[in-house]
């Protein structure tokens, strides 16, 4: 398994030859300080950072890859491991190995990916739900969408912001694969990680004014930030870095996201808000969505104004990581990795269907 190093990195034990040395060679090649290959330099964006190898003083013959802990910055990380590609065996696999791998998931060639496991934090119960590889192998072409959507469900509602951000991340990886012909990946995975707790979400905007300045502000913050009050919603306009944080007082503290198609017949757009001064233990357990009938004063117009004036790329601004992992079966090539590309496209289609429906 994966071990934790005291310095915050993770340790992956080197597999027996040829898999372990092959994975180490891959990392060494991509993270070579003298590397000037633009394809490999771009690839670094989609991998965990690599810090060489490490051996414990008590067992110098045991070698570990020292890697970035992608989950470290999250409070309640939700994690999903998805193997990508039409084949989970490499070109040098024996007939027996091929039969073994195909029998594990005969639909791999048709679907192009396999859910190896997931761990999802449910806000409603303050607990994790875990699914192992048998869960993914039981998914069919008809059930794979619902099977993956379980990863994006908080226990209260579907985290569409996370789905949208995940699509953007996977599309970037697809762009890289479409533009390279020097490596083919087999039995490699994508690691999805997002924040499952109700921690604050900060929306970054590009010099967008969300609220018209009506009257005298109730307070001036450090750095010239103006705090404006409008019934239950406060909007802080930061003049220093262009960041605007929308926060909701206790009168509206019972929701994390406002969804179209989720809460009432009068649909509203999704909006992640930073919530201040909340009692974390009970606020989020009491409900996450509010219908228009329950919004008082002119809060809703302000929320709509926040959403509709946001640049398209910031409307889905969830904190999500998608990284490529597991490189024991990476081989030189002179053609596009069509099997991996097929899997990525199918996965994007499934994620898009989850978002749309």
């Amino acid at each position: 398994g994966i071990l934790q190093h005291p310095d915050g990195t993770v340790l992956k034990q080197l597999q027996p030859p040829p898999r372990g040395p092959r994975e180490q060679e891959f990392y060494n090649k991509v993270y070579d300080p003298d590397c000037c290959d633009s394809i490999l330099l771009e690839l670094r964006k989609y991998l965990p950072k690599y810090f060489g190898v490490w051996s414990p003083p008590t067992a110098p013959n045991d070698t570990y890859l020292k890697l970035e802990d992608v989950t470290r910055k999250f409070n309640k990380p939700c994690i999903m491991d998805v193997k990508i590609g039409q084949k989970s065996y490499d070109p040098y696999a024996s007939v027996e190995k091929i039969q073994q791998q195909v029998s594990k998931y005969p639909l791999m060639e048709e679907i192009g990916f396999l859910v190896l496991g997931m761990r999802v934090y449910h806000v409603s119960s303050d607990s994790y739900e875990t699914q192992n590889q048998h869960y993914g192998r039981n998914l069919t072409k008809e059930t794979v969408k619902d099977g993956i959507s379980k990863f994006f469900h908080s226990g209260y509602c579907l985290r569409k912001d996370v789905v949208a951000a995940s699509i953007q991340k996977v599309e970037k990886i697809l762009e890289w694969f479409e533009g390279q012909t020097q490596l083919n990946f087999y039995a490699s995975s994508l690691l999805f990680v997002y924040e499952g707790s109700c921690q604050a979400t900060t929306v970054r905007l590009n010099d967008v004014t969300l609220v018209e300045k009506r009257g005298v502000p109730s307070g001036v913050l450090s750095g010239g930030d103006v705090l404006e009050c409008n019934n239950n919603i406060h909007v802080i306009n930061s003049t220093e870095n262009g960041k605007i944080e929308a926060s909701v007082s206790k009168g509206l503290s019972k929701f994390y996201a406002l969804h179209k198609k989720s809460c009432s017949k009068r649909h509203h757009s999704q909006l992640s808000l930073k919530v201040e001064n909340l009692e974390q233990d009970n606020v989020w357990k009491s409900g996450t969505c509010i219908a228009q009938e329950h919004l008082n004063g002119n809060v809703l117009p302000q929320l709509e104004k926040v959403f509709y004036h946001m640049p398209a790329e910031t409307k889905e601004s969830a904190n999500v990581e998608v990284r490529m992992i597991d490189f024991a079966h990476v081989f030189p090539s002179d053609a596009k990795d069509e099997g991996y590309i097929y899997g990525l496209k199918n996965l994007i289609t499934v994620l898009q269907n989850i978002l749309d429906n």
Side-chain angles (χ1 to χ4, degrees), residues 45 48 56 69 71 78 103 131 152 157 164 179 186 217 234 236 300 333 340:
K45 298 178 182 179
D69 181 0
T71 71
C78 297
S103 66
Q131 302 289 350
F152 299 102
C157 56
Y186 302 90
H234 307 298
I236 300 173
L300 181 61
S333 174
Y340 203 104

mmCIF file of all heavy atoms in Angstrom, residues 45 48 56 69 71 78 103 131 152 157 164 179 186 217 234 236 300 333 340:
data_model
loop_
_atom_site.group_PDB
_atom_site.id
_atom_site.type_symbol
_atom_site.label_atom_id
_atom_site.label_comp_id
_atom_site.label_asym_id
_atom_site.label_seq_id
_atom_site.Cartn_x
_atom_site.Cartn_y
_atom_site.Cartn_z
ATOM 1 N N LYS A 45 2.232 18.540 -15.277
ATOM 2 C CA LYS A 45 1.058 19.183 -14.689
ATOM 3 C C LYS A 45 0.013 18.171 -14.239
ATOM 4 O O LYS A 45 -0.803 18.454 -13.363
ATOM 5 C CB LYS A 45 0.400 20.132 -15.709
ATOM 6 C CG LYS A 45 1.267 21.284 -16.163
ATOM 7 C CD LYS A 45 0.511 22.108 -17.204
ATOM 8 C CE LYS A 45 1.350 23.251 -17.741
ATOM 9 N NZ LYS A 45 0.606 24.025 -18.782
ATOM 10 N N PRO A 48 1.439 13.422 -9.998
ATOM 11 C CA PRO A 48 1.913 13.857 -8.675
ATOM 12 C C PRO A 48 3.373 14.290 -8.812
ATOM 13 O O PRO A 48 4.113 13.729 -9.628
ATOM 14 C CB PRO A 48 1.805 12.586 -7.823
ATOM 15 C CG PRO A 48 1.007 11.616 -8.615
ATOM 16 C CD PRO A 48 1.174 11.983 -10.054
ATOM 17 N N PRO A 56 14.026 3.155 3.897
ATOM 18 C CA PRO A 56 14.104 3.322 5.349
ATOM 19 C C PRO A 56 15.467 2.872 5.861
ATOM 20 O O PRO A 56 16.033 1.904 5.343
ATOM 21 C CB PRO A 56 12.982 2.412 5.877
ATOM 22 C CG PRO A 56 12.744 1.428 4.794
ATOM 23 C CD PRO A 56 13.065 2.104 3.503
ATOM 24 N N ASP A 69 1.577 14.017 -1.996
ATOM 25 C CA ASP A 69 0.289 13.564 -1.479
ATOM 26 C C ASP A 69 -0.787 14.519 -1.999
ATOM 27 O O ASP A 69 -0.961 15.614 -1.481
ATOM 28 C CB ASP A 69 0.304 13.560 0.050
ATOM 29 C CG ASP A 69 -1.008 13.071 0.650
ATOM 30 O OD1 ASP A 69 -1.919 12.747 -0.136
ATOM 31 O OD2 ASP A 69 -1.109 13.024 1.882
ATOM 32 N N THR A 71 -3.875 14.424 -1.771
ATOM 33 C CA THR A 71 -5.015 14.630 -0.869
ATOM 34 C C THR A 71 -4.686 15.538 0.310
ATOM 35 O O THR A 71 -5.579 15.893 1.081
ATOM 36 C CB THR A 71 -5.505 13.285 -0.303
ATOM 37 O OG1 THR A 71 -4.537 12.775 0.636
ATOM 38 C CG2 THR A 71 -5.706 12.260 -1.395
ATOM 39 N N CYS A 78 -12.532 13.383 -0.850
ATOM 40 C CA CYS A 78 -13.267 12.338 -1.557
ATOM 41 C C CYS A 78 -12.365 11.859 -2.686
ATOM 42 O O CYS A 78 -11.855 12.672 -3.468
ATOM 43 C CB CYS A 78 -14.575 12.870 -2.107
ATOM 44 S SG CYS A 78 -15.732 13.421 -0.830
ATOM 45 N N SER A 103 -10.743 -11.229 -18.201
ATOM 46 C CA SER A 103 -11.779 -11.874 -17.391
ATOM 47 C C SER A 103 -12.184 -11.021 -16.197
ATOM 48 O O SER A 103 -13.311 -11.125 -15.705
ATOM 49 C CB SER A 103 -11.301 -13.245 -16.905
ATOM 50 O OG SER A 103 -10.210 -13.115 -16.007
ATOM 51 N N GLN A 131 -16.161 2.139 -1.564
ATOM 52 C CA GLN A 131 -16.442 1.082 -2.532
ATOM 53 C C GLN A 131 -15.112 0.538 -3.059
ATOM 54 O O GLN A 131 -14.211 1.308 -3.380
ATOM 55 C CB GLN A 131 -17.273 1.613 -3.705
ATOM 56 C CG GLN A 131 -18.607 2.237 -3.321
ATOM 57 C CD GLN A 131 -19.624 1.227 -2.842
ATOM 58 O OE1 GLN A 131 -19.411 0.022 -2.966
ATOM 59 N NE2 GLN A 131 -20.724 1.709 -2.291
ATOM 60 N N PHE A 152 -19.957 11.693 -6.652
ATOM 61 C CA PHE A 152 -20.164 13.143 -6.605
ATOM 62 C C PHE A 152 -21.356 13.539 -5.736
ATOM 63 O O PHE A 152 -21.789 14.682 -5.777
ATOM 64 C CB PHE A 152 -20.355 13.684 -8.021
ATOM 65 C CG PHE A 152 -19.182 13.456 -8.926
ATOM 66 C CD1 PHE A 152 -19.198 12.427 -9.868
ATOM 67 C CD2 PHE A 152 -18.048 14.241 -8.830
ATOM 68 C CE1 PHE A 152 -18.108 12.202 -10.702
ATOM 69 C CE2 PHE A 152 -16.959 14.027 -9.656
ATOM 70 C CZ PHE A 152 -16.986 12.999 -10.591
ATOM 71 N N CYS A 157 -27.040 16.208 -1.913
ATOM 72 C CA CYS A 157 -27.294 16.544 -3.304
ATOM 73 C C CYS A 157 -26.047 16.271 -4.149
ATOM 74 O O CYS A 157 -24.960 16.060 -3.627
ATOM 75 C CB CYS A 157 -27.727 18.005 -3.457
ATOM 76 S SG CYS A 157 -26.546 19.183 -2.764
ATOM 77 N N ALA A 164 -18.418 19.370 -12.981
ATOM 78 C CA ALA A 164 -17.995 20.295 -14.042
ATOM 79 C C ALA A 164 -16.495 20.545 -13.992
ATOM 80 O O ALA A 164 -15.818 20.558 -15.030
ATOM 81 C CB ALA A 164 -18.757 21.611 -13.913
ATOM 82 N N GLY A 179 -2.055 15.377 -28.435
ATOM 83 C CA GLY A 179 -0.901 16.059 -29.016
ATOM 84 C C GLY A 179 0.421 15.331 -28.871
ATOM 85 O O GLY A 179 1.463 15.884 -29.212
ATOM 86 N N TYR A 186 -0.670 1.790 -20.242
ATOM 87 C CA TYR A 186 -1.544 0.658 -19.985
ATOM 88 C C TYR A 186 -1.694 0.484 -18.477
ATOM 89 O O TYR A 186 -0.748 0.678 -17.725
ATOM 90 C CB TYR A 186 -0.969 -0.630 -20.590
ATOM 91 C CG TYR A 186 -0.748 -0.548 -22.078
ATOM 92 C CD1 TYR A 186 0.472 -0.109 -22.595
ATOM 93 C CD2 TYR A 186 -1.754 -0.895 -22.979
ATOM 94 C CE1 TYR A 186 0.683 -0.021 -23.964
ATOM 95 C CE2 TYR A 186 -1.556 -0.804 -24.346
ATOM 96 C CZ TYR A 186 -0.331 -0.362 -24.828
ATOM 97 O OH TYR A 186 -0.129 -0.268 -26.183
ATOM 98 N N PRO A 217 -21.537 52.072 3.045
ATOM 99 C CA PRO A 217 -21.186 50.738 3.529
ATOM 100 C C PRO A 217 -21.132 50.727 5.041
ATOM 101 O O PRO A 217 -20.816 51.719 5.677
ATOM 102 C CB PRO A 217 -19.800 50.494 2.917
ATOM 103 C CG PRO A 217 -19.257 51.853 2.641
ATOM 104 C CD PRO A 217 -20.449 52.711 2.311
ATOM 105 N N HIS A 234 -23.869 39.418 2.458
ATOM 106 C CA HIS A 234 -22.782 40.393 2.505
ATOM 107 C C HIS A 234 -21.830 40.090 1.352
ATOM 108 O O HIS A 234 -21.466 38.953 1.135
ATOM 109 C CB HIS A 234 -22.008 40.278 3.820
ATOM 110 C CG HIS A 234 -22.867 40.340 5.017
ATOM 111 N ND1 HIS A 234 -23.629 41.441 5.344
ATOM 112 C CD2 HIS A 234 -23.102 39.420 5.988
ATOM 113 C CE1 HIS A 234 -24.301 41.199 6.467
ATOM 114 N NE2 HIS A 234 -23.998 39.971 6.878
ATOM 115 N N ILE A 236 -18.096 41.124 -0.165
ATOM 116 C CA ILE A 236 -16.852 41.834 0.095
ATOM 117 C C ILE A 236 -16.154 42.067 -1.231
ATOM 118 O O ILE A 236 -15.868 41.140 -1.963
ATOM 119 C CB ILE A 236 -15.939 41.004 1.018
ATOM 120 C CG1 ILE A 236 -16.663 40.743 2.347
ATOM 121 C CG2 ILE A 236 -14.626 41.717 1.254
ATOM 122 C CD1 ILE A 236 -15.910 39.795 3.251
ATOM 123 N N LEU A 300 -32.314 36.888 -3.233
ATOM 124 C CA LEU A 300 -32.229 36.129 -4.476
ATOM 125 C C LEU A 300 -31.709 36.953 -5.646
ATOM 126 O O LEU A 300 -30.833 36.500 -6.382
ATOM 127 C CB LEU A 300 -33.592 35.516 -4.814
ATOM 128 C CG LEU A 300 -33.604 34.682 -6.103
ATOM 129 C CD1 LEU A 300 -32.639 33.518 -5.967
ATOM 130 C CD2 LEU A 300 -35.004 34.183 -6.407
ATOM 131 N N SER A 333 6.427 4.864 -27.879
ATOM 132 C CA SER A 333 5.524 4.659 -29.007
ATOM 133 C C SER A 333 5.839 5.664 -30.098
ATOM 134 O O SER A 333 6.569 6.638 -29.868
ATOM 135 C CB SER A 333 4.073 4.816 -28.538
ATOM 136 O OG SER A 333 3.175 4.771 -29.618
ATOM 137 N N TYR A 340 -6.137 4.812 -24.656
ATOM 138 C CA TYR A 340 -6.289 5.752 -23.536
ATOM 139 C C TYR A 340 -7.212 6.903 -23.939
ATOM 140 O O TYR A 340 -8.070 7.326 -23.159
ATOM 141 C CB TYR A 340 -4.917 6.273 -23.120
ATOM 142 C CG TYR A 340 -4.852 6.793 -21.703
ATOM 143 C CD1 TYR A 340 -4.250 6.051 -20.692
ATOM 144 C CD2 TYR A 340 -5.371 8.039 -21.362
ATOM 145 C CE1 TYR A 340 -4.175 6.522 -19.384
ATOM 146 C CE2 TYR A 340 -5.305 8.522 -20.068
ATOM 147 C CZ TYR A 340 -4.712 7.769 -19.084
ATOM 148 O OH TYR A 340 -4.653 8.233 -17.799
#
